[in-house]
Amino acid sequence: RAKEPGAPLLCRFDPQMDEASRARRALARDLREAIRRGQIDLAFQVQACVQSGVAVGFEALARWTHPVLGRIPPGDFVALAEGTGEIDRLGELVLRRACCQAALWPGRQRVAVNLSPLQFASGRLPALVSEVLRDSGLPAARLELEITESALIEERRAAIAQMEAISRMGITFVLDDFGKGFSSFGTLRSFVFGKLKIDRSFIAGVGESAPARAVLRAMVALGHSLGLNVLAEGVETESELAVIRAEGCDEMQGYLIGRPVLPGAPGAPDNIS
Ligand code: C2E
Ligand code: MG
Ligand code: MG
Ligand code: MG
């Protein structure tokens, strides 16, 4: 095969290269091929208003089925793409597809797309986002971009200016997995967000634990005092739902109300009204 920029020339002959890194390299090659061919699917998971139960949005979650290895978890292939420089192409594919599909949903719910912080590295994210909105016809108010806090630390300076530019287009940034990282408060002070997603580790078991509930209450109060919408992620049980409702969470997402589903399936955004 032709040599590619950045690939070590010795890889086939280096005796130090072990089986694991050879497998990783092969997987990276397969992922790149899948991205080029558009063989990444999007599953959608419903987000609902806690008080009314109405579906207000769907999170787009990338899915890759390897021809031999089967389904690869998104955490794994997103990290792989981040390591090989394919993340911009993967991110663009997901963003374009999510916006084009959402523009056609009968219910006009919002679509939430996950961003890797490395997508800020090129400086071209604001231009891409505005191009995708124009191409898809999706109104900016229907797009949300989710970013995890721990990840933002690395691309901090580049990210702030670009997030502000994208926010001015009318798009909402969502702080994903809130509470799980190390810099929750600092992140809230210096970045523009419109919504907090409380990490599911803070929701699990909250119906049975008074301390867990006190922590959740404080997180909701923090979000609301900053004027943010607060979404509880990973809601799995009725008792968790009862607590997040009583504590004033605005929105919820989780297996209790819907698993991620492919378009066309029951409960998919193109298949309900
Ligand atoms: P995330 O953004 O926090 O997405 C939520 C994850 O929690 C999803 O896992 C979802 O299936 C899972 N989940 C939702 N409700 C429940 C629940 O009630 N219980 C439990 N146990 N889990 C629940 P998934 O689809 O495996 O995605 C994992 C992570 O991969 C995502 O976490 C996100 O960080 C990343 N990811 C997925 N798609 C993309 C993408 O297109 N781009 C980027 N950069 N990252 C992505
Ligand atoms: Mg997310
Ligand atoms: Mg999350
Ligand atoms: Mg999460």
Side-chain angles (χ1 to χ4, degrees):
R1 50 181 288 124
K3 74 179 175 197
E4 54 216 346
L9 295 172
L10 294 175
C11 64
R12 283 180 58 202
F13 309 107
D14 184 349
Q16 312 235 299
M17 176 171 257
D18 59 11
E19 202 51 47
S21 66
R22 215 185 316 257
R24 188 178 175 280
R25 182 170 296 273
L27 196 65
R29 187 195 56 216
D30 295 343
L31 176 60
R32 188 182 54 204
E33 204 54 40
I35 293 169
R36 302 248 149 122
R37 295 182 182 169
Q39 291 166 343
I40 302 291
D41 296 314
L42 292 186
F44 292 95
Q45 187 178 27
V46 70
Q47 303 175 330
C49 170
V50 171
Q51 294 307 327
S52 69
V54 169
V56 291
F58 287 86
E59 180 174 12
L61 294 159
R63 297 288 179 261
W64 179 34
T65 305
H66 186 277
V68 176
L69 303 171
R71 183 160 277 194
I72 313 286
D76 293 359
F77 70 79
V78 167
L80 185 61
E82 287 176 336
T84 61
E86 287 295 313
I87 189 64
D88 277 338
R89 280 195 188 80
L90 175 61
E92 178 171 349
L93 177 71
V94 170
L95 181 67
R96 279 193 187 281
R97 196 165 284 175
C99 290
C100 289
Q101 294 188 12
L104 302 173
W105 292 344
R108 313 210 156 270
Q109 296 92 349
R110 296 183 302 251
V111 64
V113 175
N114 292 284
L115 283 188
S116 160
L118 292 183
Q119 291 178 260
F120 289 108
S122 74
R124 288 177 10 216
L125 191 62
L128 173 67
V129 169
S130 99
E131 184 186 308
V132 168
L133 287 181
R134 190 159 27 81
D135 293 350
S136 64
L138 186 76
R142 290 183 54 204
L143 177 59
E144 294 182 338
L145 296 173
E146 299 194 357
I147 315 182
T148 63
E149 54 186 335
S150 47
L152 266 176
I153 299 163
E154 300 153 41
E155 297 290 333
R156 187 179 186 86
R157 260 169 305 162
I160 290 177
Q162 292 176 68
M163 284 175 68
E164 286 169 353
I166 292 168
S167 288
R168 285 194 293 271
M169 299 174 198
I171 292 159
T172 298
F173 277 98
V174 180
L175 184 50
D176 204 350
D177 299 342
F178 178 66
K180 198 174 156 192
F182 301 101
S183 65
S184 307
F185 298 115
T187 305
L188 284 172
R189 279 173 55 124
S190 29
F191 293 91
V192 274
F193 287 101
K195 189 193 277 196
L196 279 190
K197 278 182 93 163
I198 297 177
D199 189 65
R200 72 178 151 87
S201 59
F202 293 90
I203 306 300
V206 83
E208 286 76 42
S209 159
R213 183 167 176 161
V215 170
L216 175 68
R217 180 176 304 155
M219 293 170 101
V220 174
L222 174 63
H224 285 165
S225 72
L226 289 163
L228 306 178
N229 255 321
V230 177
L231 180 148
E233 78 175 4
V235 178
E236 294 184 348
T237 68
E238 291 290 348
S239 78
E240 289 164 1
L241 171 57
V243 170
I244 65 158
R245 181 179 284 138
E247 296 301 342
C249 288
D250 305 293
E251 296 175 12
M252 62 176 161
Q253 178 177 349
Y255 294 167
L256 180 67
I257 58 162
R259 294 191 173 244
V261 288
L262 294 171
D270 59 334
N271 203 19
I272 61 171
S273 56

